[in-house]
Amino acid sequence: MANTDKKLTVVIGASPNPDRYSYLAASRLKAHGHPVVAIGNREAAIGDIPIITEHPALENVDTVTLYMNPKLQEQYYDYILQLKPKRIIFNPGTENPALEALAVQNGIQPHEACTLVLLSTGQF
């Protein structure tokens, strides 16, 4: 693995459905040794990663990776900004110019990318 730093990653829009990209991303992040907090619209689990519905205060968040459409993201704006992540990954279909602009204003790097591709190519 190119980057050995472990990056606390918050997966927003996490799903317990193994066919969903959020499920694959959380699983692969953990497999790469990154600590994962999975937030979804109902309590469940991705393997041994609990999916929670609350928005816990977290410190040292490296990455927020989004798996929900821009309309649903609106309820998370304040929470995401509170986390002060280094970056927000807008996975395909989650691109959101409004949140990207807020991120930039708050010193957070927005990335339109795919978490799974970043992991598989060692760019995460």
Side-chain angles (χ1 to χ4, degrees):
M1 188 168 52
N3 190 342
T4 56
D5 295 334
K6 300 307 170 205
K7 298 178 170 103
L8 175 57
T9 303
V10 179
V11 178
I12 296 181
S15 169
N17 180 342
D19 295 331
R20 304 294 297 201
Y21 288 117
S22 62
Y23 181 102
L24 294 171
S27 299
R28 293 205 187 137
L29 283 161
K30 185 166 185 187
H32 279 82
H34 299 293
V36 175
V37 175
I39 299 175
N41 60 9
R42 60 190 166 92
E43 291 187 13
I46 297 171
D48 61 355
I49 303 166
I51 298 175
I52 59 174
T53 56
E54 59 270 5
H55 304 155
L58 300 167
E59 294 192 10
N60 302 315
V61 174
D62 182 85
T63 304
V64 169
T65 184
L66 295 172
Y67 289 94
M68 63 175 44
N69 72 52
K71 187 73 182 143
L72 291 174
Q73 292 170 23
E74 291 176 11
Q75 64 186 310
Y76 289 93
Y77 285 8
D78 290 341
Y79 178 62
I80 291 169
L81 296 176
Q82 264 179 285
L83 291 175
K84 298 182 176 72
K86 292 185 176 87
R87 63 181 173 174
I88 301 171
I89 297 176
F90 292 86
N91 288 280
T94 68
E95 298 86 354
N96 181 344
L99 182 53
E100 290 181 41
L102 280 171
V104 169
Q105 289 168 16
N106 285 273
I108 301 164
Q109 296 177 323
H111 292 283
E112 289 184 6
C114 174
T115 299
L116 293 169
V117 170
L118 294 174
L119 283 166
S120 68
T121 58
Q123 298 177 73
F124 193 87

